[in-house]
Amino acid sequence: MSMGSLSDERLRILFLDGGRHLLADEVLQSGTLAQLAIYPRTIFRRALELNAAGLILVHNHPSGDHRPSVEDIEATRKLEMIGRSLNVEIIDHIVVTSTHCHHVISNDTLAGTPIPSASFTLRSPGGPARIDHGDIALANAKAAMRRRLLRQQLIGAPELFGDPAWEMLIDLFVHECERKRLSISALCVTSSIPMSSALRLAQRLCDAGITRRVPDPIDGRRTFIRLDPIIAHRMRAYFEAGAE
């Protein structure tokens, strides 16, 4: 089945070297019938791993409308800005359907287009955009985490850009929204401080009643950690109000 005929949105990336020879062709992310959230950190981390000099983005519109949405154009411009700082060129962004395609960059769609917000969402024109509050809170929490990781990757010096306790709480919140358990050791990897300091900070969060330890009933050597229910409720309200 061709990419344009798929029933859900997917983002495919062609990684090219300085001579524009193909290094890799990978599908990095997938979404729903109407929209696809993209993760710049994942894209550019892979580009740096491959030592790619340029990227061609391809994503499909299951709706059959090959015209790029405002979100498509906005996301392309954002990725171009990030790419310039990393010396990775966004060569083109192609929207495909089962019968047509549109070159977002080659057709100069970006020129003079107003950008109303800072979303990193690709959406088919006319597709349903309604999501419930739980989804909004989770999406905003993920966006906050991505921006914190991205700023460290782009600027370096993570010791100057980290807020370890808040990073831990966001990570816990995201995992709980996705109904995933998180061990203390895995949580400590999230923070921008050494493991020994992160373990002490995790203990302080428990001592303050912000988080709770939960023994693993299967493996006695492992302990999970979760947010106190009151704190989880407050964080949901916080992220429902918007991303950072």
Side-chain angles (χ1 to χ4, degrees), residues 61-210:
H61 278 178
S63 65
D65 188 343
H66 67 281
R67 295 172 301 172
S69 65
V70 172
E71 290 86 357
D72 296 344
I73 298 167
E74 178 183 351
T76 305
R77 179 172 290 179
K78 289 285 185 179
L79 290 172
E80 278 196 310
M81 292 173 59
I82 296 170
R84 281 197 295 269
S85 67
L86 295 173
N87 293 320
V88 178
E89 180 186 2
I90 304 298
I91 298 170
D92 200 358
H93 181 181
I94 306 171
V95 180
V96 300
T97 67
S98 58
T99 57
H100 294 84
C101 69
H102 185 104
H103 295 264
V104 176
I105 294 178
S106 297
N107 288 352
D108 295 326
T109 307
L110 294 179
T113 302
I115 302 301
S117 68
S119 172
F120 275 77
T121 300
L122 306 181
R123 180 176 292 122
S124 299
R130 183 179 180 276
I131 54 177
D132 63 30
H133 291 298
D135 289 336
I136 292 172
L138 175 58
N140 286 336
K142 284 185 173 180
M145 180 65 77
R146 288 196 300 271
R147 282 196 296 273
R148 286 165 180 265
L149 294 172
L150 184 60
R151 73 186 182 189
Q152 293 178 21
Q153 181 174 316
L154 295 182
I155 301 172
E159 69 278 2
L160 300 179
F161 292 92
D163 302 302
W166 187 231
E167 289 169 357
M168 287 181 170
L169 295 180
I170 295 176
D171 198 18
L172 275 171
F173 179 76
V174 168
H175 276 75
E176 291 189 14
C177 285
E178 295 178 332
R179 293 179 173 83
K180 297 177 181 177
R181 296 188 297 182
L182 191 63
S183 68
I184 291 180
S185 58
L187 175 66
C188 290
V189 173
T190 302
S191 66
S192 53
I193 56 178
M195 178 64 76
S196 58
S197 300
L199 287 169
R200 288 194 294 271
L201 179 56
Q203 183 59 53
R204 287 170 55 194
L205 291 172
C206 287
D207 293 342
I210 296 173

Side-chain angles (χ1 to χ4, degrees), residues 1-12 27 29-30 32-33 59-64 96-98:
M1 179 182 294
S2 68
M3 187 172 178
S5 301
L6 296 173
S7 60
D8 58 348
E9 287 204 32
R10 298 188 187 180
L11 177 63
R12 182 175 183 174
V27 176
Q29 293 151 209
S30 59
T32 66
L33 173 65
H59 90 278
N60 60 310
H61 278 178
S63 65
V96 300
T97 67
S98 58

Side-chain angles (χ1 to χ4, degrees), residues 202-235:
Q203 183 59 53
R204 287 170 55 194
L205 291 172
C206 287
D207 293 342
I210 296 173
T211 60
R212 297 180 178 183
R213 290 174 177 267
V214 181
D216 185 344
I218 299 175
D219 186 349
R221 298 168 298 178
R222 182 169 58 179
T223 302
F224 295 110
I225 189 166
R226 62 170 303 156
L227 293 168
D228 177 83
I230 294 176
I231 300 298
H233 176 75
R234 292 174 181 173
M235 290 189 70

